[in-house]
Amino acid sequence: MGYGILQVQGTKLQPIGLGVIKLDKLEDHAMRLKRIFDRTVGIIDEFKPDELAIEAPFFGKNVQSMLKLGRAQGVAIAAALSRSIPITEYSPKKIKMSITGNGNASKEQVAAMLAQILGLKNDHTYLDATDAMGAALCHYYQNKNVSGAKKSYSGWKAFLADNPGKQK
């Protein structure tokens, strides 16, 4: 799972954190979820972000993979909410469109554009990290251009109030 921290001061953008939470050595899915939660809380405590932008779950062909991804995203959201950080979700197409101008862009195209925009190293080793930075930059663009269009939550109560079907 990738993460990207983007510092915004006025119109100046500075990437201050970028990486991948390694999960491949953990066999048990529950332990992977715990690692995601613990590392996400650790990243939040280290960088103290004001907001979290995350890629929204998307429908895939493999139902088991989709369920695991949804759980992982939920755990990352729970970690942010445990620190009272507002959450905003963006579809993969929205992120790609806002970074490259093409909603069907490849991960490599997103990474290349981020290298140009933010001066990131164009290293295809960590495409999950550049995807995460893409979500952060998309969030910046959305809030810069459209006031009041974001969807954020200050805690579980606010999230559940706006998503009544998610309580089950």
Side-chain angles (χ1 to χ4, degrees):
M1 183 180 104
Y3 64 91
I5 313 291
L6 184 62
Q7 184 177 41
V8 178
Q9 292 179 325
T11 59
K12 186 175 189 267
L13 305 174
Q14 178 69 40
I16 58 171
L18 184 71
V20 175
I21 299 171
K22 299 277 188 185
L23 303 168
D24 52 349
K25 292 187 176 151
L26 297 171
E27 298 274 333
D28 183 52
H29 185 63
M31 293 310 295
R32 286 180 179 207
L33 295 176
K34 182 181 182 331
R35 167 82 48 90
I36 291 168
F37 184 86
D38 292 344
R39 285 291 293 127
T40 303
V41 166
I43 291 163
I44 289 167
D45 289 347
E46 178 182 350
F47 291 100
K48 305 202 180 338
D50 296 321
E51 301 175 56
L52 181 130
I54 191 166
E55 186 175 276
F58 58 91
F59 181 75
K61 293 179 183 174
N62 184 325
V63 176
Q64 285 301 314
S65 294
M66 188 178 67
L67 286 171
K68 288 178 181 178
L69 178 61
R71 288 178 186 147
Q73 290 167 321
V75 166
I77 289 169
L81 291 174
S82 78
R83 296 296 193 255
S84 300
I85 295 177
I87 312 298
T88 306
E89 292 182 288
Y90 296 100
S91 73
K93 281 190 178 283
K94 177 113 182 158
I95 294 168
K96 291 173 183 179
M97 181 63 118
S98 94
I99 304 304
T100 68
N102 175 4
N104 295 315
S106 68
K107 288 178 172 280
E108 291 81 9
Q109 289 170 314
V110 171
M113 190 59 78
L114 287 170
Q116 286 184 334
I117 297 168
L118 298 174
L120 296 177
K121 185 176 163 187
N122 194 1
D123 180 1
H124 294 159
T125 308
Y126 297 105
L127 292 174
D128 289 333
T130 52
D131 278 355
M133 187 61 80
L137 186 57
C138 173
H139 185 63
Y140 167 76
Y141 287 154
Q142 295 307 304
N143 288 301
K144 178 181 147 203
N145 296 327
V146 184
S147 63
K150 68 179 182 171
K151 182 70 113 186
S152 63
Y153 305 102
S154 59
W156 282 114
K157 192 172 182 178
F159 176 81
L160 292 173
D162 197 41
N163 296 278
K166 308 241 179 188
Q167 295 180 27
K168 296 176 186 168

